[in-house]
Amino acid sequence: MRLGKGALALIALALTGMAGAASAAPNCGMNTGQPATGEPIVVGGIFSNGAPGDWSSSTDSAAAYFACVNANGGINGRPVDYRVQDDQWNPEAAAQAAAKLVNDDKAVALVGNGSFIEMAVNAKTYVDQGIMAMASACAISECFETPNLVSTNQGPLPSNLGAAQYAQEELGSKNVACIGLNIPNNGIWSCQAVIDYMKSKGGDGSMALLNPGAPDVNSALLEAVASGADTILMNLPAGLALAVLKAAQEQDLRDQYVWIAPTPLYDLSVPDAVGEYWHGKIYVNAELAPLNQNGPDAQNWVAVLEAYGKPDDPRDTFGQAGYLSAQFFTKAMLEMDPADLSDRAKVTEAIRGIKGYTSDLMCGPYYVGDADFHMPNHAGYMVKIVAGGFEVVRECYEYDSPYFDKIIALEKEMGLR
């Protein structure tokens, strides 16, 4: 999500240590220091920008990484021609974006996609056209339960489960009210998983759903309060979650509930936005490494954005995810026969063959495989909102839910466990 100037200043302060470490030249692809001059390889990306949010941070970071690759030898001498389309939160525009990239531009793959819309609209197109989408900011079920989509981010279902699991194990939560969007493959899908999890632990749960076209946060909050819950889960984009917190503060509800959220609230603008009233009271699941972690990829992501990104490119979880998708795609392409780089079928085969890629930004290995579902990222961190930032309260942990049984079985079959 894009932030204002004040938030960007906060980010710059928070990343001071990382930025110092990242002052070295970024490391991308072949890392030759020489620009690629061969025939371009067309790669697409789709993001959403419009009410209720801008989800372009994943394609922004992917674009910066590919620019870095192109300045460092490309993919065996060939630059990546990264073409990005905005679906505007509009299904018709989403279908047109995919048609242009897949049919007209002949992209060999899509990388860094971030949207609430396009995966549902285009999942069948990707299957029919034999193209893989290595997404980075997915929020709906089709991104994780169809054959030709795979994402470096977790999406709301695992991130909600991670937050609920922490609350149940550490904060004494027994009854969770999940406030989400009334979208079947988003809010209902992911809130129901939390209800099922709580019941499996002897507790209970409920959902209060918002109309995404005209969200009434006061009504949803009242519904959550009336449910008898002891914990409120804000399964919402950051702007709407902040609106719920504002409404709760006006009613001084802070100390009557445990407050938890999935990763959209892991945004460096949030601690200032919520204010002192909420510091130390909101627990957030982080799908990738917290921004103050200082591993090689965490440093390189910042270095890439500094050297090849725009000043206002967001430094957030979905930016990290876009960087990772572009890096993993580049690695897979460099492992291919250079003669096959323009062959979509061969590129799709190479992406499906990805197995055991690792990064300090992810808690587990990244893989794709030949399956009808893909969810390689299902472990994360928990952080607490404090004055000036976030405090890590639980390091990498795997989420506990029957939903992951088939995913774990696939990982065993692939030799990853």
Side-chain angles (χ1 to χ4, degrees):
M1 304 291 284
R2 291 193 175 277
L3 312 175
K5 291 182 180 178
L8 289 170
L10 177 64
I11 289 172
L13 179 64
L15 297 179
T16 296
M18 294 174 62
S23 60
N27 184 337
C28 304
M30 300 178 73
N31 209 35
T32 64
Q34 299 297 318
T37 57
E39 179 187 358
I41 302 167
V42 178
V43 176
I46 300 174
F47 67 93
S48 293
N49 186 10
D54 178 356
W55 283 66
S56 62
S57 64
S58 57
T59 48
D60 287 343
S61 280
Y65 186 78
F66 285 138
C68 182
V69 168
N70 293 345
N72 284 281
I75 297 176
N76 285 309
R78 297 179 60 181
V80 174
D81 180 0
Y82 188 50
R83 304 181 185 184
V84 176
Q85 294 283 315
D86 178 5
D87 71 22
Q88 307 166 54
W89 288 77
N90 180 309
E92 185 176 347
Q96 292 171 349
K100 182 174 191 324
L101 294 168
V102 176
N103 300 331
D104 300 344
D105 296 348
K106 309 297 184 187
V108 296
L110 300 172
V111 177
N113 294 18
S115 172
F116 262 66
I117 302 294
E118 83 89 7
M119 293 82 175
V121 173
N122 297 323
K124 185 175 184 302
T125 296
Y126 299 153
V127 174
D128 292 344
Q129 298 303 318
I131 190 169
M132 288 296 297
M134 297 178 69
S136 308
C138 281
I140 57 175
S141 60
E142 285 83 353
C143 202
F144 307 98
E145 299 176 351
T146 57
N148 285 43
L149 280 154
V150 61
S151 188
T152 41
N153 86 308
Q154 296 177 1
L157 187 147
S159 196
N160 280 338
L161 284 171
Q165 179 181 338
Y166 179 81
Q168 191 269 337
E169 292 177 350
E170 304 289 347
L171 305 175
S173 296
K174 299 183 182 306
N175 188 340
V176 176
C178 177
I179 301 178
L181 295 173
N182 192 4
I183 301 175
N185 54 359
N186 172 263
I188 296 172
W189 171 65
S190 53
C191 282
Q192 186 59 51
V194 170
I195 295 169
D196 294 343
Y197 168 78
M198 291 304 298
K199 288 183 175 178
S200 76
K201 299 297 180 184
D204 204 353
S206 61
M207 64 178 85
L209 300 174
L210 290 165
N211 178 350
D216 183 346
V217 296
N218 287 293
S219 293
L221 180 61
L222 289 173
E223 185 177 348
V225 167
S227 72
D230 55 35
T231 300
I232 293 181
L233 168 61
M234 295 162 288
N235 177 22
L236 296 165
L240 287 174
L242 291 174
V244 169
L245 290 169
K246 181 180 179 182
Q249 183 174 350
E250 289 171 353
Q251 300 178 54
D252 198 21
L253 297 176
R254 179 189 63 191
D255 296 332
Q256 298 179 43
Y257 300 92
V258 171
W259 298 87
I260 58 176
T263 213
L265 269 191
Y266 188 61
D267 179 319
L268 289 177
S269 69
V270 167
D272 270 4
V274 298
E276 184 178 356
Y277 177 86
W278 288 105
H279 291 164
K281 299 294 182 181
I282 304 170
Y283 296 83
V284 181
N285 179 265
E287 300 176 6
L288 293 171
L291 297 172
N292 61 357
Q293 300 295 302
N294 211 18
D297 271 330
Q299 294 179 37
N300 198 47
W301 167 58
V302 175
V304 166
L305 285 179
E306 289 178 347
Y308 296 96
K310 299 184 292 293
D312 65 344
D313 282 348
R315 273 67 167 170
D316 63 8
T317 296
F318 301 127
Q320 292 175 319
Y323 162 86
L324 278 180
S325 293
Q327 185 201 66
F328 292 156
F329 171 78
T330 300
K331 183 176 180 180
M333 295 284 278
L334 285 170
E335 293 170 351
M336 290 180 62
D337 183 336
D340 294 333
L341 294 175
S342 293
D343 185 328
R344 180 185 293 170
K346 294 287 182 60
V347 171
T348 294
E349 182 181 351
I351 292 172
R352 288 190 181 281
I354 291 174
K355 183 174 80 170
Y357 287 5
T358 59
S359 168
D360 48 278
L361 292 175
M362 288 181 68
C363 289
Y366 179 83
Y367 62 92
V368 181
D370 189 9
D372 291 336
F373 56 88
H374 304 283
M375 188 177 280
N377 185 5
H378 50 90
Y381 297 76
M382 279 301 290
V383 299
K384 179 170 65 175
I385 295 175
V386 297
F390 295 86
E391 174 188 335
V392 176
V393 294
R394 182 180 278 194
E395 299 283 350
C396 278
Y397 67 108
E398 196 162 7
Y399 310 149
D400 172 22
S401 166
Y403 181 86
F404 302 114
D405 287 351
K406 65 179 182 181
I407 295 165
I408 291 170
L410 176 64
E411 291 173 355
K412 290 179 178 176
E413 183 180 318
M414 295 178 70
L416 295 170
R417 288 177 179 268

